[in-house]
Amino acid sequence: MFKIKVWMISPLFLPVKAGTEVHVYNLSRELVKLSVDVEVHTTRDTYEDRGVLKPFEVIDGIRVVRHGRTWRYRKGPDLLHFHNLGRKLSAWNLYTFYFTILGSKFYDVPLVMTPHDIFIVDRGAVINTLQRLMGRSVDVIIAVSEWEKEEMVRLGYQATKISVIPNGVEDKAYELPVNPGTHDYLFYLARISPEKGQLFAVECLQKLDIDLVLAGQIRDQDYFQRLMRRVKELGLDHRVKYLGQVTDEQKYALIDGSLAVILTSDVEAEPIVVKEAMVRGIPVIVGDKAKVLPTLVENEVNGFVVHDCDELRSAVEHLKDPSTRRQISENNKEISKEWRWSKVAFRVLELYKSLF
């Protein structure tokens, strides 16, 4: 049996539950089931507060080691798997760049990086350069979609170093009973941050005959306040609800009860919430700014891709037709059969093995 000790290195981890953190948790949990010794190294931070989480705990067999400002390498792991990067010039990022670009030359340890879209986002000349140097230094970069790989190659990352392994969807999405709902609202689940695009949905709502339910942790307090001010200015207080962070059970109940899950982000790698909705047989409405979204969603096949408020209104009207919803539901369930995390983790483990 192949035995390996892996450090997952992520700036944030549970109880923070945005896309990267959910990815790291589910991948780590499934790898533990495959007899991989997984240790997550992260900070003690949440989006809102610093240094508030316990320095150490075990979550579903995963040892979680939380550091004050940054992780530090010490001998022990057989492989380091990096996920995302934190605040641009944080101690976490600076040490990660130092270790991967320079320090790793002194240690015989394979390095894997899953960027979660940061390698394709313009983060300024200095960070962009450091990220490209990091990309050259690691052994493998995991892209979560073919589109993300193509974008990285276009930006100068080495194609032969990039493996495509998609985001998985947790078992709960497949196994929890579906809660039939009223389908009288759109459900927007994402961290509250400008790049996630909730403001677009709020602006359009004045033209739509449907409510909007928002959920997710607040990453940017200024943006949240601007969002809520705009809700009031448009007189939509009674039609827009912000629920904060929701449990998994609440999330799936809200997905099931919605007319559609909506996501109009500026940038994404491969959003898990869109795939979760598809597993549940729920239509999705996505914007066309994040170029990966139209590769996941096809109009009237598994949802709708929209550019402006008029197209969003048209999508909502189409989805109010029961036969359209029924066909999209069947299509989504068929498309999503191969997305279980157990299958994703097996592919990641095979990649790890190839590095030894």
Side-chain angles (χ1 to χ4, degrees):
M1 182 179 293
F2 182 73
K3 290 287 188 179
I4 185 175
K5 181 174 183 178
V6 176
W7 281 11
M8 297 287 182
I9 299 172
S10 174
L12 299 173
F13 190 61
L14 305 187
V16 179
K17 293 185 71 176
T20 297
E21 296 75 40
V22 171
H23 176 112
V24 175
Y25 165 71
N26 282 294
L27 175 59
S28 298
R29 186 184 61 173
E30 292 301 326
L31 287 172
V32 167
K33 293 178 183 177
L34 294 171
S35 300
V36 177
D37 185 354
V38 178
E39 195 168 276
V40 172
H41 286 256
T42 185
T43 65
R44 299 180 63 193
D45 301 345
T46 67
Y47 285 146
E48 298 85 10
D49 302 298
R50 296 196 179 188
V52 296
L53 301 176
K54 292 186 292 186
F56 177 82
E57 66 178 311
V58 178
I59 301 175
D60 291 342
I62 309 160
R63 289 191 304 279
V64 182
V65 181
R66 296 194 178 94
H67 304 268
R69 296 184 65 197
T70 187
W71 69 285
R72 286 281 191 272
Y73 177 77
R74 65 177 189 273
K75 289 187 177 180
D78 300 302
L79 181 146
L80 302 180
H81 189 157
F82 299 91
H83 295 266
N84 214 321
L85 289 168
R87 297 174 179 90
K88 291 183 180 179
L89 292 176
S90 64
W92 184 279
N93 278 9
L94 294 176
Y95 180 76
T96 301
F97 288 138
Y98 157 74
F99 182 85
T100 55
I101 297 168
L102 297 173
S104 63
K105 301 183 188 304
F106 301 102
Y107 304 102
D108 184 21
V109 57
L111 307 179
V112 177
M113 175 64 177
T114 303
H116 301 276
D117 81 27
I118 61 164
F119 280 4
I120 60 174
V121 177
D122 184 3
R123 304 183 86 202
V126 173
I127 298 297
N128 289 347
T129 299
L130 289 171
Q131 288 181 171
R132 277 193 279 273
L133 289 171
M134 181 181 180
R136 291 177 194 169
S137 301
V138 301
D139 295 283
V140 178
I141 301 170
I142 297 178
V144 296
S145 67
E146 289 290 345
W147 174 84
E148 187 187 18
K149 177 180 178 177
E150 291 169 7
E151 286 296 294
M152 283 193 278
V153 172
R154 183 180 66 81
L155 292 169
Y157 292 90
Q158 189 176 337
T160 55
K161 278 195 174 183
I162 304 172
S163 294
V164 177
I165 303 178
N167 276 322
V169 179
E170 64 184 353
D171 290 343
K172 283 183 182 179
Y174 293 92
E175 295 168 1
L176 282 177
V178 173
N179 293 293
T182 54
H183 308 306
D184 59 355
Y185 62 89
L186 301 176
F187 182 44
Y188 206 127
L189 177 64
R191 66 177 178 268
I192 308 299
S193 190
E195 71 277 5
K196 287 300 182 180
Q198 292 93 343
L199 191 57
F200 169 82
V202 167
E203 293 283 359
C204 290
L205 200 65
Q206 55 189 324
K207 294 185 176 183
L208 306 178
D209 183 23
I210 198 165
D211 292 345
L212 177 66
V213 176
L214 305 172
Q217 289 184 304
I218 299 172
R219 178 69 174 270
D220 187 315
Q221 191 65 234
D222 290 340
Y223 178 70
F224 176 69
Q225 295 301 328
R226 181 155 61 102
L227 194 64
M228 292 300 102
R229 280 198 304 272
R230 191 59 180 146
V231 168
K232 289 184 180 296
E233 290 168 0
L234 295 173
L236 298 172
D237 307 60
H238 62 297
R239 295 178 54 205
V240 177
K241 295 180 182 178
Y242 170 64
L243 303 180
Q245 188 175 352
V246 295
T247 66
D248 286 342
E249 287 72 18
Q250 291 169 325
K251 172 182 70 176
Y252 290 119
L254 288 161
I255 289 173
D256 293 347
S258 68
L259 182 75
V261 165
I262 180 171
L263 186 69
T264 56
S265 308
D266 292 338
V267 62
E268 292 283 352
E270 197 200 39
I272 293 175
V273 67
V274 169
K275 298 178 80 169
E276 288 172 335
M278 290 169 65
V279 168
R280 306 294 284 180
I282 299 300
V284 288
I285 299 175
V286 300
D288 61 359
K289 287 185 178 180
K291 300 305 181 183
V292 71
L293 293 176
T295 71
L296 279 173
V297 181
E298 183 178 350
N299 280 325
E300 296 190 57
V301 175
N302 58 337
F304 291 87
V305 180
V306 301
H307 177 72
D308 54 30
C309 293
D310 288 335
E311 290 185 2
L312 178 55
R313 183 178 66 237
S314 175
V316 167
E317 292 306 313
H318 274 86
L319 289 173
K320 288 182 178 179
D321 173 47
S323 63
T324 299
R325 280 185 57 82
R326 185 164 49 251
Q327 184 59 58
I328 287 175
S329 176
E330 292 172 2
N331 292 343
N332 279 349
K333 288 177 181 177
E334 183 63 30
I335 292 168
S336 61
K337 284 181 178 179
E338 297 300 312
W339 293 342
R340 285 185 181 267
W341 270 110
S342 56
K343 296 184 178 182
V344 173
F346 181 80
R347 292 179 62 183
V348 171
L349 182 56
E350 290 300 302
L351 183 148
Y352 290 168
K353 290 179 182 179
S354 73
L355 299 176
F356 293 91

